[in-house]
Amino acid sequence: MNDKTHLPSYQEVIRGAHRRHLPRLSKRRRRVAGIALGLLSFIAYAQWKQLPSSTTVHPISSDITIHGLSVKQLEDDLATCHALQKKPEDPKGLGRDRNSRYIDGHAPTLIKNATVWIGEPVPGTSPEDARKGKGYQWITADVYLESGLIRRVESSIAPSSVDPKTIIFNAHGRPLTVGIIDMHSHAGVDSLPELEGNDDTNEMSSNITPYVRSIDGLQPGDHQIQVIKSGGVTTSLVLPGSGNNIGGEAYVIKHAVGKADGRNETSATDMLADPDRNWRYMKMACGENAKRVYGRVGESGPVSRMGESWEFRHAFERAAKLVRDQDDWCNTATAKGLQAVKSYLPQELRWESLGALLRGQVHLNTHCYTIPDLEAFVDHTNEFKFKIRAFHHAHQTFLVPEILKRAYGGDPPASAIFADNMWYKAEANVASEFAGKILWDNGLTPIYVSDNPVLNAQHVIYEAAKGYKYGLPYHAALAAVTTAPAERLGFGQRLGKIKPGFDADVVVWDSDPLSLGAAPVQVWIDGTAQFEEPVELDKPPVTLITPDDSLAKLPNEPTQMDQVIFTGITKLLVDGGELGIDTTNSAGINRVVLTRGKITCIGICRSEVETALRDHTPVVELKNGHLSGSFTAFGSKIGLNAIDAEDDTDNGPSSGTFTRGEDGLALDTQKLNGSYTYGVTKAISAPKHTGGSNHHGTSVGFLTGAKTSLDKNAVFASDVAVHYTLDLTSKRGSTPSISAAVGALRQKLLEAAASNEKIKDGYSEAAFLKKVVQGSLPLVITVQNADVIASILQVKKTVEHATGTALRLVIYGGAESWLLAEELASAKVGVVLAPLFSFRSTWDQRRALTGAPLTNGTAIDKLLDAGVLTAIGLEEDWIVRDLGLLAGIVLNNGGGRVDEKGALGLVSGNVYKLLGLKEPGVKDGHFIISEGSPLTIGSRIKAVGGGLGTVTVF
Ligand SMILES: *[C@@H]1O[C@H](CO)[C@@H](O)[C@H](O)[C@H]1NC(C)=O
Ligand SMILES: *[C@@H]1O[C@H](CO)[C@@H](O)[C@H](O)[C@H]1NC(C)=O
Ligand SMILES: *[C@@H]1O[C@H](CO)[C@@H](O)[C@H](O)[C@H]1NC(C)=O
Ligand SMILES: *[C@@H]1O[C@H](CO)[C@@H](O)[C@H](O)[C@H]1NC(C)=O
């Protein structure tokens, strides 16, 4: 199971889902018990791969030995001994004349005029220099693909020198990389949109299930496999979920499926990246999940991390015994002959795969977040002598490099992480966006992963881009989704580099792959182009990123300043009107002077600077300084929650009551600190309905930098809007159906319209609804599905007919709103997209547009084209750091629909326009000073003003 979407108690949405799953769980338990005996008598080795047919068995005359055992069976057992003792090696790349995945008949391809990232430094680069990034470069080259392999990478390959049937693809100088590798995915086992019938992510029948295999639940028809590929991801490690301590076997697949890939039929086996199955893979997980899923006091463990360690050690003990018994048998049979053995080879399917792990045949990937989890697991590796390839999630590995280096086998595990997704549960709360850089600086290996569908794996390259933003060197960020996972998966000679002998998995990008919004223009797997008519976005010519080493310096601890001067300002992303000061003479501007947290001068500012210098005002010199307005987080739980899944840190659900956000405000949290640090100085949050980002009650506008709600100006707007939810979670309690929920909304509004009663409590639902029907307070409905949006538009009409007054309606969520873009525009209904880029994760989002090369644009493009006022919301709170980056993606991929200020408006001014609210602006001390545009990946925020009378300088 992916970590967040299904596991109980991560967050409340999920808790609901878990309750739903419980009856299923117990049914499954009964079913599994019934067939367990049958399974145990099965021959273990047959399930894995075909054994070598050659054996060195001694010929024996009789069919039965003196101990009454079948000679034929003993001979098979002895053959099994050879397989058991096999030591896998990484499969060779060079020297193959074809890739064994190649389908005959696919023509060779010559990619002309590409700008190629090889994936390794030029020959002769020392390992020390290579680690620093020296010798890595983009080169101009042609690439020839044939028989599923990269054959030639040369500065110029003449078409006359290759097979005449060759397809020529002109890259026109665009960047070419190897296919991206996602080392943590649940694609195919957790098919999208999520439906109970499709969920095969965790085998919940027992906490220790090394015997289950993700391939047995892998659905090749999962549309998400295609969506992921459209992001340039050609290879994924499909892991069982993290509900169990030992989750089962995992498989490395390529995203080339069935008939579209030239195969006769659709099969998961055909997707295996290594059809010869040299290595096996396994998933384990420690920490919160297993104890929460399986711990039942007095009935079953584990209930604590201590219990989890025992579960692991007990399982390893069982597997070690099996291995020892087998080795004893094999040694006796080999040394003394088959007549000497008194039994068949000991085999037990339940422990077979774990035995293979102890034999060094399995690449282990373990989900562990915290120091105690990591330390305990490293202890298990040494106690039972097995290696671990990567810790996943691994949020705290950056704190304990030495613990990782103590892992068995002298080969420290990599850390497979998200760039900045955190805070969602206690073990994800101690985390840093700089983890990748810190791991790298300690000689360890960061790898970025999606945990699809926790993140949409289509955009795993964006995680790497953020890794670069947060200080990982450019080459290491690219390696973190290419060469590093290739090596960790045992594919170091086949995947991850553009070199002869490697598999021909190739992506040509429309921009630098680490720039915001980078999308493939074509993807090849095993040498075959994957998209027949890929949509290519209208973008300016490619400018490659010049790696900026200064990003590798961690930001300084924040300092509060009353007065400060910034020099080196090159661009204003706000205009004079917003500033309330004259900037007409600020051409060639270079200075910004701040006094008591407000901007007092922009330009040469001679006299201001003189006065300031006399007062010893600090001067901060910037490189390519930008001044812009600050951002607003609308619709998150920020200010009402500190750790998503921890009830004690949360305002609590408000589904049964109608409450005011202001009454629950809880400030001074990590989430708020993170918001402020990344320029989000204002937030508008409403109480949640059940969990996730659904709402019920009135929202409050507040300053993220405030310490309590009584700080001056801390609450800038008390009851901003009335929020209701009509997504899948609305089917509960008194409204068990969508029709009941829509009907209840209509009834409330019509009653408010008809009522003349004097309302005693001015803070009651009735009082706020009265304002809604009078058109003086906005109504915000959290909803994703187009059909429900259609019903809401009907309700709006009905109510307006009754009152004669226009409702101010806003759609929050809106994954499918693009289907009704024209209708929304003519009804003057705005949309806050949350998520900005839906990927059909749930049924009510199943018609979302996932973007190029599969679809021509996404929801926001369609809404902007129709003239719908649009803003960007947050599906989850961690996204707050990324608001500027998301706006940057819209800027880059919008084909000119928005300019820089328009993009910034999506995360600031538009929210206020939608809500009919005055925005606390630059004039009020809300601004961001950054090096580089905050809409670019290479920018860094240097100072933030949050309307509190001081400036925070980093
Ligand atoms: C490669 O493409 C670039 C960009 O379109 C172009 O300027 C250049 O002339 C091309 N080079 C060749 C050899 O065709
Ligand atoms: C498809 O099936 C045909 C007929 O059985 C067989 O000859 C061919 O090799 C198969 N092709 C692939 C790619 O499996
Ligand atoms: C994508 O849509 C835009 C208009 O929305 C259109 O101009 C463009 O031609 C389309 N591109 C493709 C490849 O269909
Ligand atoms: C906010 O976070 C930053 C960086 O994560 C840290 O340096 C700072 O001390 C934090 N401030 C508070 C008040 O927690």
Side-chain angles (χ1 to χ4, degrees):
M1 148 152 50
N2 60 78
D3 278 308
K4 295 181 55 196
T5 9
H6 291 39
L7 270 186
S9 315
Y10 250 70
Q11 43 183 75
E12 283 65 5
V13 201
I14 285 57
R15 195 164 300 160
H18 180 53
R19 265 200 292 278
R20 237 172 37 213
H21 288 182
L22 276 178
R24 271 203 304 155
L25 177 68
S26 50
K27 244 186 269 160
R28 268 194 206 165
R29 260 196 192 134
R30 281 198 295 279
R31 218 177 325 137
V32 169
I35 58 170
L37 275 178
L39 277 174
L40 287 177
S41 59
F42 199 72
I43 305 288
Y45 73 86
Q47 58 108 19
W48 170 24
K49 67 174 287 186
Q50 293 210 307
L51 290 167
S53 51
S54 75
T55 51
T56 49
V57 176
H58 311 289
I60 294 175
S61 51
S62 157
D63 286 349
I64 300 290
T65 69
I66 53 170
H67 297 296
L69 302 174
S70 156
V71 170
K72 173 75 183 57
Q73 180 61 51
L74 289 172
E75 286 170 356
D76 285 352
D77 283 359
L78 198 56
T80 303
C81 287
H82 294 280
L84 291 175
Q85 278 145 15
K86 180 172 168 270
K87 292 278 172 240
E89 284 179 4
D90 288 2
K92 292 272 174 296
L94 213 54
R96 292 182 289 171
D97 49 346
R98 57 183 280 149
N99 172 342
S100 56
R101 291 182 39 85
Y102 171 69
I103 306 288
D104 285 324
H106 283 316
T109 296
L110 175 60
I111 305 175
K112 292 290 293 174
N113 193 13
T115 305
V116 179
W117 186 261
I118 301 290
E120 67 179 25
V122 292
T125 310
S126 72
E128 298 74 41
D129 280 352
R131 196 148 177 99
K132 288 184 201 132
K134 290 191 188 150
Y136 283 89
Q137 58 200 24
W138 288 99
I139 58 166
T140 300
D142 294 350
V143 179
Y144 181 56
L145 317 175
E146 187 188 46
S147 306
L149 299 173
I150 298 172
R151 287 280 190 216
R152 297 166 65 185
V153 183
E154 295 163 21
S155 58
S156 178
I157 300 174
S160 61
S161 71
V162 298
D163 188 314
K165 290 191 297 294
T166 298
I167 300 163
I168 310 278
F169 181 95
N170 194 330
H172 295 292
R174 284 173 299 203
L176 180 153
T177 68
V178 77
I180 302 303
I181 302 171
D182 182 8
M183 204 174 156
H184 188 136
S185 184
H186 303 289
V189 290
D190 193 354
S191 300
L192 301 184
E194 287 179 338
L195 293 174
E196 289 205 21
N198 286 347
D199 180 3
D200 294 296
T201 326
N202 279 266
E203 178 45 50
M204 293 284 200
S205 54
S206 161
N207 179 38
I208 303 291
T209 61
Y211 44 81
V212 305
R213 309 178 298 180
S214 67
I215 197 168
D216 294 333
L218 200 148
Q219 171 54 264
D222 178 5
H223 179 258
Q224 178 65 4
I225 291 172
Q226 304 302 326
V227 173
I228 293 171
K229 178 166 68 186
S230 78
V233 177
T234 52
T235 307
S236 295
L237 175 62
V238 178
L239 296 160
S242 58
N244 325 49
N245 279 141
I246 299 186
E249 287 197 71
Y251 292 80
V252 181
I253 62 155
K254 288 203 190 176
H255 288 249
V257 185
K259 293 201 171 120
D261 189 42
R263 295 175 197 268
N264 282 340
E265 58 185 14
T266 303
S267 124
T269 305
D270 284 348
M271 294 165 70
L272 291 176
D274 174 16
D276 302 319
R277 304 191 185 198
N278 285 282
W279 289 106
R280 297 165 78 178
Y281 304 86
M282 189 178 283
K283 168 75 178 293
M284 300 189 187
C286 40
E288 287 186 28
N289 291 356
K291 60 177 183 160
R292 233 176 235 170
V293 176
Y294 294 99
R296 299 282 174 273
V297 175
E299 289 171 36
S300 63
V303 179
S304 69
R305 288 186 157 88
M306 298 182 290
E308 290 188 22
S309 273
W310 156 250
E311 298 258 331
F312 279 124
R313 295 173 68 222
H314 187 48
F316 292 130
E317 181 191 41
R318 299 289 299 265
K321 177 175 183 322
L322 177 65
V323 167
R324 202 168 50 240
D325 290 350
Q326 289 175 331
D327 286 351
D328 289 350
W329 189 95
C330 292
N331 290 339
T332 305
T334 309
K336 299 194 179 158
L338 294 180
Q339 290 293 350
V341 293
K342 294 180 183 156
S343 67
Y344 296 118
L345 173 68
Q347 301 209 49
E348 200 178 352
L349 191 54
R350 192 177 194 98
W351 303 114
E352 184 278 334
S353 59
L354 211 50
L357 171 72
L358 299 181
R359 292 180 181 282
Q361 298 167 345
V362 177
H363 279 340
L364 177 62
N365 290 273
T366 304
H367 150 140
C368 295
Y369 285 81
T370 66
I371 295 173
D373 292 323
L374 296 163
E375 192 150 27
F377 205 87
V378 163
D379 189 42
H380 307 328
T381 69
N382 286 303
E383 182 177 3
F384 293 95
K385 306 209 169 0
F386 61 90
K387 292 188 189 173
I388 167 164
R389 300 297 284 183
F391 278 120
H392 289 239
H393 292 285
H395 272 51
Q396 295 181 23
T397 50
F398 81 97
L399 296 170
V400 289
E402 297 309 316
I403 291 181
L404 265 56
K405 291 175 190 171
R406 288 209 300 265
Y408 175 77
D411 178 16
S415 297
I417 54 178
F418 302 132
D420 55 1
N421 181 354
M422 54 186 75
W423 305 325
Y424 44 86
K425 53 180 180 169
E427 63 188 5
N429 199 45
V430 177
S432 169
E433 64 272 38
F434 302 104
K437 171 220 157 40
I438 295 169
L439 288 163
W440 178 259
D441 288 349
N442 280 281
L444 295 167
T445 308
I447 289 174
Y448 291 103
V449 295
S450 71
D451 196 4
N452 187 87
V454 169
L455 300 181
N456 175 6
Q458 178 190 359
H459 299 308
V460 76
I461 190 78
Y462 172 50
E463 295 301 294
K466 288 187 282 182
Y468 165 68
K469 174 179 188 61
Y470 297 129
L472 193 59
Y474 182 89
H475 75 286
L478 271 175
V481 287
T482 54
T483 46
E487 185 276 328
R488 289 282 97 183
L489 293 171
F491 282 88
Q493 298 176 49
R494 288 193 175 175
L495 303 177
K497 294 179 185 174
I498 300 291
K499 287 178 72 178
F502 278 67
D503 288 8
D505 303 337
V506 173
V507 186
V508 171
W509 300 88
D510 65 5
S511 50
D512 186 307
L514 298 188
S515 64
L516 292 174
V521 301
Q522 185 54 280
V523 176
W524 290 261
I525 296 181
D526 307 316
T528 302
Q530 297 293 308
F531 297 104
E532 259 177 42
E533 288 180 22
V535 175
E536 187 175 347
L537 297 173
D538 173 19
K539 287 190 171 181
V542 177
T543 319
L544 291 169
I545 290 173
T546 308
D548 178 0
D549 296 339
S550 72
L551 290 173
K553 188 178 169 298
L554 290 177
N556 299 322
E557 275 292 304
T559 318
Q560 301 297 332
M561 294 186 186
D562 287 341
Q563 316 245 119
V564 51
I565 299 168
F566 291 93
T567 66
I569 300 279
T570 55
K571 190 151 191 182
L572 298 183
L573 290 167
V574 289
D575 54 40
E578 293 169 74
L579 285 168
I581 57 177
D582 183 13
T583 55
T584 42
N585 291 325
S586 57
I589 21 126
N590 45 40
R591 291 168 177 161
V592 171
V593 180
L594 290 138
T595 312
R596 284 181 295 284
K598 292 197 181 168
I599 295 170
T600 44
C601 180
I602 294 182
I604 306 296
C605 308
R606 197 162 287 123
S607 67
E608 287 84 351
V609 169
E610 270 170 23
T611 322
L613 289 180
R614 227 178 292 127
D615 299 344
H616 305 289
T617 299
V619 178
V620 179
E621 284 173 31
L622 300 174
K623 203 175 61 183
N624 190 23
H626 281 58
L627 171 69
S628 49
S630 68
F631 306 148
T632 296
F634 178 48
S636 71
K637 294 191 299 295
I638 288 167
L640 293 166
N641 167 289
I643 305 172
D644 296 354
E646 289 290 337
D647 288 351
D648 286 357
T649 78
D650 184 53
N651 178 50
S654 165
S655 58
T657 50
F658 184 94
T659 65
R660 300 173 65 235
E662 186 172 353
D663 291 337
L665 262 193
L667 305 181
D668 196 16
T669 63
Q670 273 205 88
K671 284 183 179 178
L672 286 162
N673 182 12
S675 308
Y676 185 93
T677 306
Y678 285 87
V680 184
T681 65
K682 295 156 277 185
I684 299 174
S685 300
K688 71 184 183 192
H689 171 60
T690 54
S693 65
N694 53 42
H695 311 98
H696 190 225
T698 64
S699 43
V700 56
F702 64 97
L703 305 187
T704 60
K707 293 292 176 234
T708 80
S709 59
L710 298 182
D711 286 7
K712 186 157 179 270
N713 300 331
V715 173
F716 64 82
S718 280
D719 295 287
V720 174
V722 169
H723 295 251
Y724 293 109
T725 291
L726 282 174
D727 69 3
L728 296 173
T729 65
S730 61
K731 292 191 274 183
R732 316 183 147 219
S734 60
T735 60
S737 62
I738 292 292
S739 48
V742 171
L745 173 69
R746 180 174 46 228
Q747 189 185 359
K748 276 181 192 179
L749 293 167
L750 288 177
E751 278 176 6
S755 162
N756 289 319
E757 264 176 58
K758 182 155 166 35
I759 298 168
K760 288 196 201 103
D761 178 358
Y763 298 99
S764 63
E765 182 174 15
F768 293 121
L769 279 172
K770 193 84 208 166
K771 291 187 184 169
V772 167
V773 295
Q774 287 164 352
S776 61
L777 200 60
L779 176 65
V780 181
I781 309 284
T782 301
V783 55
Q784 303 286 0
N785 176 263
D787 302 299
V788 184
I789 295 173
S791 300
I792 294 168
L793 291 180
Q794 294 290 8
V795 170
K796 177 175 185 283
K797 235 190 243 170
T798 307
V799 174
E800 288 172 348
H801 186 73
T803 59
T805 309
L807 284 184
R808 183 184 278 274
L809 178 65
V810 177
I811 298 297
Y812 186 90
E816 294 190 351
S817 62
W818 67 275
L819 284 162
L820 296 169
E822 301 295 339
E823 290 81 356
L824 289 163
S826 62
K828 298 199 170 47
V829 174
V831 175
V832 180
L833 289 167
L836 171 59
F837 299 116
S838 167
F839 60 109
R840 312 175 171 201
S841 49
T842 53
W843 181 252
D844 60 349
Q845 304 187 34
R846 72 188 190 282
R847 291 169 290 186
L849 298 174
T850 55
L854 281 180
T855 67
N856 187 5
T858 61
I860 193 157
D861 302 303
K862 308 290 172 197
L863 294 171
L864 292 173
D865 285 349
V868 177
L869 186 54
T870 306
I872 298 174
L874 292 78
E875 184 191 25
E876 293 177 343
D877 294 351
W878 62 268
I879 296 169
V880 74
R881 283 196 186 85
D882 293 7
L883 284 181
L885 304 182
L886 293 175
I889 296 174
V890 177
L891 174 68
N892 289 350
N893 289 3
R897 287 178 178 87
V898 293
D899 59 9
E900 276 176 309
K901 286 187 187 171
L904 290 167
L906 297 170
V907 289
S908 56
N910 291 15
V911 172
Y912 299 86
K913 283 183 202 150
L914 284 165
L915 299 169
L917 194 66
K918 189 181 166 310
E919 179 180 13
V922 183
K923 245 192 297 196
D924 308 299
H926 289 273
F927 55 85
I928 297 170
I929 292 175
S930 55
E931 290 191 326
S933 160
L935 300 165
T936 60
I937 198 76
S939 62
R940 176 150 298 172
I941 292 182
K942 303 300 285 186
V944 172
L948 295 161
T950 59
V951 189
T952 310
V953 181
F954 301 96

